[in-house]
Amino acid sequence: MNIPFTTIDALRRAAACAPKRTFVQFDGQSFSYEDTAVLAARWASRLHVAGVERGDRVALFLENSSAFVMAYLGAHLIGAIVVLVNTQYRQTELRHILSDSAAKVVIVGDQAHADLIHRSDAPGVVMFASEAVLEGAGDMPDWTHAPAPADLALIGYTSGTTGRSKGAMLTHANLMANSAAVTRAWSWTERDRLLLTLPLFHIHGLGVGLNGTLFATGTVDLRRGFDATDVLDTLARGEATMFFGVPTMYTRLIAEARRRRSEGRAVRVDGMRLFVSGSAPLSPQTFAEFEELFGHRILERYGMTETIMNLTNPYDGERRPGTVGMPFPGQEARVVDVRTRQPLPDGEIGEIQVRGPNVFAGYWRNPQATAEAFDANGWFNTGDLGWRSADGYFTITGRARELIISGGYNIYPREVEEVLLDHPAVAEVAVVGLPDAEFGEQVVAVVVPAMQTTDGLEQELIDWCRARLASYKKPRRVVFAAALPRNALGKVQKHVVQQQLRQVQPERTPQ
Ligand code: MLC
Ligand code: AMP
């Protein structure tokens, strides 16, 4: 078995070839590939006892931890489909994701998260990710129930224009094709040690970081979250060879490095061979500042939940700031006219389409959305706008869909608008993204109030959103207006709202 076609193939191969090599290091504990096979088997056995069968959905509502990794692989070991759930999600998101996916089991990390699941009236048995839950579970991996390459491995919810998020279905073959492409493109080997501070509940951390490590039979140094001080300390000890992050992480690393330099302290990243950025645009300024301070040119790549990774700057060759490079090996990308859907010549801006073995199998129980996402020749419409240079580098210039990306998290204005409209003091609302020095973009709501007085209403509306949605989706500012600009058909003109706001609101400076 040389090329793995499922995560379980990959685990089995690693446990056979390198049983003692550390796969995951977390919180002072090391788990070898052999340990991982045993723990995954115990999760598989426990889930089986809970009634999970092949094709059933198992939701992970978990922070980064070794248990996340073991439960993920354990679910796969019995052919279950893992549903990823951001731990910042609150009732509105949880209710929709858990009932839409009809998850049979939801694995949680603590009582607070279990309570949230119960309060959201979601179906499914709640199971705690604790050692106790695995007591008495069988130890030996039973590879016979392992999934086939075409079986679904993951459902990642990605918000839609309707405000209701859609479940992107990724097969095992998608995951492994992506891992094969990424490991090849970035020369990722078993000697690599990835410092991973990204959340595992999104595709950047899981689909690129964790699956790539498993495919390469390397080691991942997994952290609960991102902390610039901790990252620089780890890199100074020469403990990592690679780091993957979103642009906000890089701006924070730059600020922390500058702070250290100003105190006369050295900033060393000796063992490092690769820094990768993605999930949101990396500014050429951040690229240049990072190079100056750290002596590394960040490799920027472009991806999305539906396709994992699409485009990458070269590992060997020119990493061009402001661009996202070229298709990964075995994949294709092109730019089409937004209206005619015909391919455009180099240099012209249109919608980016991609095609390849990494591209997802469609949206969960949503054939209409699936049909709209592809053209007749199997090209996937990314919804991102950009152009290709004569020498093949793609540049992303904007988005064809309404989407705010804040610190690498996607926020669909419609979802926030719906929650705000539920508040009795809100008559009309438009949510837009404005530039933000720290997070790239920030959420701003323009509200037409239903009553005369707006005293204290801004904070009340922010708190209202925080209680119902993931906190990062809440507006940073609420601006009150007498009316919203509308076109002749009565549709709110978001670009006018944005222009007006830019005139009254200066860009926020980093904290
Ligand atoms: C946290 N907060 C944010 C935020 N992250 N607000 C806006 N945008 C964000 N991205 C808010 C919280 O809601 C909270 O508010 C306060 O900040 C502190 O929360 P925290 O958790 O302590 O924040 P911090 O650890 O500093 O998080 C910043 C971050 C994080 C950059 C480390 O956002 C992050 O990990 N981003 C990565 C997201 C990611 O993995 N994206 C990939 C998606 S896949 P309050 O008010 O409640 O205190 C994808 C495809 C691809 O896009 O190509 O990769
Ligand atoms: P998600 O739906 O969370 O997977 O986010 C995917 C979206 O993130 C893409 O459609 C892009 O809009 C954006 N994205 C990812 N990587 C980049 C990048 N390097 N530059 C600009 N946008 C990016």
Side-chain angles (χ1 to χ4, degrees):
M1 184 181 28
N2 284 324
I3 302 171
F5 292 109
T6 70
T7 56
I8 297 306
D9 281 355
L11 174 61
R12 198 174 173 184
R13 178 181 69 159
C17 304
K20 303 291 177 208
R21 187 179 301 143
T22 300
F23 171 33
V24 180
Q25 190 158 345
F26 179 77
D27 215 10
Q29 279 189 292
S30 289
F31 300 86
S32 67
Y33 278 100
E34 191 177 57
D35 297 336
T36 305
V38 169
L39 283 162
R42 298 180 83 191
W43 271 103
S45 145
R46 185 66 191 82
L47 289 167
H48 179 71
V49 170
V52 175
E53 291 174 18
R54 186 183 208 93
D56 281 342
R57 274 74 59 210
V58 172
L60 301 184
F61 189 47
L62 284 175
E63 305 284 351
N64 281 4
S65 59
S66 52
F68 188 117
V69 179
M70 306 308 158
Y72 167 67
L73 291 169
H76 281 175
L77 198 50
I78 51 169
I81 305 165
V82 169
V83 180
L84 300 176
V85 191
N86 187 318
T87 51
Q88 287 200 47
Y89 288 166
R90 292 296 172 260
Q91 267 139 293
T92 310
E93 295 114 328
L94 291 173
R95 189 177 303 124
H96 170 61
I97 290 175
L98 297 176
S99 56
D100 186 67
S101 65
K104 203 169 219 176
V105 170
V106 187
I107 303 178
V108 298
D110 57 31
Q111 190 58 47
H113 282 160
D115 292 344
L116 267 172
I117 303 285
H118 291 309
R119 276 204 302 277
S120 62
D121 286 337
V125 174
V126 172
M127 194 184 276
F128 283 89
S130 65
E131 301 228 328
V133 87
L134 296 182
E135 263 166 33
D139 271 351
M140 290 308 295
D142 179 356
W143 308 109
T144 55
H145 299 290
D151 287 349
L152 293 185
L154 272 186
I155 301 181
Y157 276 81
T158 159
S159 300
T161 40
T162 58
R164 291 240 126 179
S165 57
K166 298 173 288 187
M169 304 187 288
L170 289 157
T171 64
H172 279 273
N174 292 149
L175 299 189
M176 291 298 104
N178 174 76
S179 295
V182 169
T183 50
R184 193 170 140 206
W186 299 344
S187 299
W188 192 341
T189 73
E190 74 281 2
R191 290 183 301 282
D192 275 307
R193 212 181 139 82
L194 171 70
L195 175 60
L196 190 61
T197 66
L198 287 155
L200 289 177
F201 46 67
H202 281 300
I203 220 64
H204 194 164
L206 186 76
V208 195
L210 189 78
N211 288 346
T213 301
L214 179 63
F215 191 92
T217 63
T219 299
V220 59
D221 180 354
L222 181 68
R223 300 300 163 93
R224 275 177 216 286
F226 176 81
D227 176 67
T229 308
D230 179 48
V231 168
L232 286 194
D233 289 348
T234 306
L235 300 188
R237 290 194 296 269
E239 286 177 9
T241 62
M242 298 196 294
F243 176 82
F244 300 166
V246 297
T248 302
M249 294 179 179
Y250 286 103
T251 51
R252 290 189 186 176
L253 287 177
I254 290 168
E256 175 60 17
R258 286 195 173 134
R259 198 180 61 79
R260 290 184 180 201
R261 288 259 166 97
S262 72
E263 291 169 359
R265 294 162 66 194
V267 175
R268 304 188 65 116
V269 292
D270 295 344
M272 286 295 291
R273 68 171 187 87
L274 182 63
F275 289 91
V276 178
S277 175
S279 307
L282 180 76
S283 75
Q285 188 192 338
T286 305
F287 180 96
E289 289 175 356
F290 193 86
E291 184 175 13
E292 197 194 319
L293 279 160
F294 293 89
H296 278 263
R297 289 170 77 79
I298 299 172
L299 184 155
E300 184 171 6
R301 92 314 176 266
Y302 156 75
M304 56 197 304
T305 305
E306 288 91 334
T307 58
I308 321 179
M309 291 297 98
N310 296 318
L311 298 165
T312 181
N313 268 279
Y315 181 69
D316 294 310
E318 188 198 355
R319 297 182 196 162
R320 199 175 289 173
T323 80
V324 288
M326 305 152 200
F328 276 90
Q331 303 182 14
E332 299 171 276
R334 66 179 192 178
V335 178
V336 295
D337 186 290
V338 177
R339 271 166 293 114
T340 65
R341 312 309 291 172
Q342 291 306 306
L344 287 172
D346 288 341
E348 287 192 27
I349 295 177
E351 182 172 350
I352 297 174
Q353 289 184 323
V354 295
R355 199 161 64 172
N358 56 312
V359 176
F360 75 141
Y363 293 107
W364 173 255
R365 292 182 177 169
N366 198 337
Q368 193 190 334
T370 304
E372 285 165 8
F374 291 93
D375 78 3
N377 297 313
W379 288 96
F380 172 66
N381 305 317
T382 61
D384 289 306
L385 301 175
W387 57 282
R388 200 184 87 130
S389 68
D391 59 353
Y393 284 72
F394 284 75
T395 299
I396 313 253
T397 54
R399 295 165 208 136
R401 60 215 149 113
E402 261 189 45
L403 168 67
I404 301 166
I405 303 186
S406 169
Y409 279 137
N410 287 6
I411 300 152
Y412 276 82
R414 176 77 181 268
E415 191 181 15
V416 185
E417 286 165 1
E418 282 175 6
V419 166
L420 283 168
L421 279 171
D422 280 342
H423 191 284
V426 176
E428 289 178 62
V429 60
V431 167
V432 295
L434 285 193
D436 184 273
E438 185 185 12
F439 288 114
E441 288 178 293
Q442 59 169 294
V443 178
V444 179
V446 178
V447 165
V448 178
M451 42 204 50
Q452 295 267 303
T453 170
T454 55
D455 289 352
L457 189 54
E458 175 173 14
Q459 194 55 46
E460 190 178 322
L461 293 177
I462 293 172
D463 293 342
W464 174 268
C465 289
R466 194 200 262 117
R468 287 160 180 80
L469 294 170
S471 172
Y472 62 84
K473 296 179 184 173
K474 68 186 182 292
R476 297 243 157 198
R477 292 278 316 273
V478 178
V479 176
F480 296 102
L484 296 175
R486 291 184 185 272
N487 66 15
L489 299 171
K491 194 171 172 333
V492 175
Q493 292 173 298
K494 292 274 177 93
H495 63 283
V496 177
V497 175
Q498 261 166 333
Q499 273 165 12
Q500 291 171 346
L501 284 171
R502 276 174 205 245
Q503 282 159 11
V504 294
Q505 186 178 323
E507 191 174 319
R508 215 166 57 90
T509 47
Q511 290 149 355

